[in-house]
Amino acid sequence: LLIYYNGEFVTKENATVSIYDHGFLYGDGVFEGIRAYNGRVFKLQEHVDRLYDSAKAIALEVPISKEEMSEAILETLRKNDLRDAYIRPIVSRGVGDLGLDPRKCPKPSIYIVSQEWAAMYGDLYEVGLKAITVGIRRNAPDALSPNIKSLNYLNNILAKIEANEKGGDEAIFLDQNGFVSEGSGDNIFVIKNGKIYTPPTINNLKGITRATAIELLEERGYEVIVGNLGLFDMYTADEIFVTGTAAEAAPITKLDGRPIGDGSVGPITKAAVAAFEEVTGSTGTP
Ligand code: PLP
């Protein structure tokens, strides 16, 4: 497996990160998670745009252009002969000293890691995930906004640990005001009486799969309403599903021990999953 590192390709064994890289020392950097289906990278432009927006928000200047980044991502897939893959571009503040001052890091580091990948939840797409609302709240939408896909994922990791301890497949965050935010790695859709609701992205990551799901569902005649949701809306929903690059569209059939709807995967969730399969099913060459 070859990994892109600052313009060169190195083997997995040689792809090491300096102990002084502030991405490692402080989580000072940004990343993306991207999928390729049948040789075609899904929503490449959107992911590259979000990577550069995340970098901008933390005042990190990516040393290559967006075009060069896109090409490096495609080249990583070609070099590894991957057609169904997960791709992880990472831009860190780079190597500095033990102090946190980014002025000590003259050159950001760029890594692109890829691997073969199939849908994340296996059999759970049929029966649905058990989700747990966690006590830890999502980052507030201030300077450390959940819109930044930064290397500092402690908030999400603590949520995942809490869900794991309680036997959940996924963690659901509330925000600092108690509104529904998102999962530890995916966005949330709630269905009630045939209408589809999803929280505004002020309190969650501006998911690219979320935007795709809204577009696909609207094209198919469903109404999607963007607005704040509370726990009550989730507990009394007919259906819930989450969307993400890794999860794709995945049903949630149990939340905090309560069955969602009748506890089986509902028709609108099935329509969302089918629509997503339709758009990712095409073929191409990286
Ligand atoms: N929310 C969080 C916290 C994530 O890490 C992700 C994954 O990237 C998502 C949502 C879903 O976003 P996307 O659909 O762009 O992958």
Side-chain angles (χ1 to χ4, degrees), residues 11-176:
T11 61
K12 192 174 165 180
E13 295 68 33
N14 289 324
T16 50
V17 175
S18 163
I19 209 95
Y20 296 102
D21 191 312
H22 281 207
F24 171 74
L25 280 176
Y26 293 111
D28 184 0
V30 294
F31 75 104
E32 270 303 319
I34 313 177
R35 290 279 290 280
Y37 294 92
N38 299 311
R40 176 173 294 160
V41 181
F42 189 62
K43 304 280 176 190
L44 177 58
Q45 186 69 54
E46 286 83 347
H47 282 283
V48 169
D49 285 345
R50 189 171 65 185
L51 181 69
Y52 281 67
D53 281 348
S54 293
K56 183 93 185 279
I58 67 162
L60 170 61
E61 200 175 325
V62 185
I64 61 174
S65 70
K66 286 187 182 181
E67 291 69 32
E68 287 165 330
M69 179 64 76
S70 298
E71 184 47 34
I73 290 167
L74 295 172
E75 186 61 15
T76 305
L77 286 180
R78 287 193 288 258
K79 282 252 191 285
N80 290 297
D81 203 16
L82 285 169
R83 296 185 61 77
D84 290 284
Y86 182 86
I87 310 140
R88 168 66 57 89
I90 302 159
V91 185
S92 80
R93 190 78 62 182
V95 175
D97 65 14
L98 287 180
L100 62 75
D101 192 340
R103 289 176 299 187
K104 297 279 180 60
C105 308
K107 191 168 159 275
S109 305
I110 303 175
Y111 312 84
I112 305 171
V113 194
S114 60
Q115 67 176 59
E116 211 166 280
W117 185 273
M120 179 180 184
Y121 285 119
D123 296 343
L124 290 178
Y125 292 95
E126 301 296 321
V127 293
L129 279 67
K130 290 196 292 286
I132 302 286
T133 314
V134 292
I136 185 160
R137 298 294 174 97
R138 193 69 175 109
N139 293 340
D142 54 13
L144 192 59
S145 158
N147 297 156
I148 304 170
K149 205 165 165 60
S150 86
L151 291 180
N152 200 316
Y153 250 47
L154 264 187
N155 192 207
N156 311 59
I157 288 161
L158 293 178
K160 193 75 185 164
I161 288 171
E162 206 177 320
N164 288 347
E165 274 175 359
K166 292 175 178 160
D169 304 304
E170 177 55 312
I172 304 290
F173 274 118
L174 303 180
D175 71 11
Q176 309 278 324

Side-chain angles (χ1 to χ4, degrees), residues 201-228:
T201 55
I202 183 75
N203 71 2
N204 53 64
L205 185 75
K206 295 180 194 293
I208 290 161
T209 321
R210 173 189 178 277
T212 306
I214 293 174
E215 194 183 300
L216 294 175
L217 288 163
E218 285 179 343
E219 271 170 22
R220 282 156 182 76
Y222 294 102
E223 190 181 348
V224 183
I225 299 158
V226 176
N228 283 327

Side-chain angles (χ1 to χ4, degrees), residues 189-196 217 222-224 238-239 241 249 265-275:
F189 287 82
V190 171
I191 293 131
K192 182 75 171 175
N193 297 331
K195 289 189 180 137
I196 305 168
L217 288 163
Y222 294 102
E223 190 181 348
V224 183
D238 298 325
E239 304 177 38
F241 66 88
V265 179
I268 296 182
T269 302
K270 281 184 183 159
V273 173

